[in-house]
Amino acid sequence: AVSSWLSKGDGDGGKSEEQCRLPAGRACHVTQWTIIFMSYGKSPHLRGLFESITKVSEWERTAEVVLVWNTPAATLRSPPKNPKLRIFYAQDHGLGNNLFNR
């Protein structure tokens, strides 16, 4: 699908400055990114998850880190204190741990 889109361009023969290129060092003049982690309460890797969240939030280009928590909110204990971290509690929004909330 991406190859098809790139070959079609935007009707100006690929001359538009707004068209993204792959691979992109900087896509469409974007200088920051959002990093998304997904996990659940019974994961044996929570310590590593929290360490990873802390590490990537320190990167200069990280604007925010989103943790999609796929089990009840009460099961998330001691998430890292981090101003860039936003936690989305999937079950609080009617989304179970399924393929549709990925």
Side-chain angles (χ1 to χ4, degrees), residues 2 9 15 20 22-23 25-26 35 37-38 40 44 46 59 61 71 75 78 84 88-89 92 95 98 101:
V2 172
K15 297 177 186 173
C20 296
L22 297 176
R26 199 173 95 171
I35 299 172
F37 289 92
M38 299 182 75
Y40 58 96
L46 288 181
W59 295 347
R61 291 189 176 197
T71 50
T75 62
S78 304
K84 292 185 179 180
F88 177 81
Y89 297 101
D92 290 355
L95 301 170
N98 61 53
N101 64 351

Side-chain angles (χ1 to χ4, degrees), residues 4-80:
S4 175
W5 176 80
L6 286 173
S7 67
K8 290 179 186 175
D10 58 3
D12 68 354
K15 297 177 186 173
S16 171
E17 291 182 24
E18 298 301 320
Q19 183 176 356
C20 296
R21 303 278 185 233
L22 297 176
R26 199 173 95 171
C28 297
H29 311 290
V30 174
T31 59
Q32 291 187 314
W33 51 60
T34 297
I35 299 172
I36 301 172
F37 289 92
M38 299 182 75
S39 193
Y40 58 96
K42 294 182 180 180
S43 175
H45 308 288
L46 288 181
R47 181 186 306 234
L49 171 69
F50 294 159
E51 289 171 0
S52 295
I53 288 171
T54 299
K55 182 176 181 176
V56 301
S57 69
E58 294 171 354
W59 295 347
E60 181 180 337
R61 291 189 176 197
T62 301
E64 72 175 331
V65 178
V66 177
L67 172 60
V68 178
W69 192 250
N70 283 312
T71 50
T75 62
L76 180 59
R77 297 191 177 109
S78 304

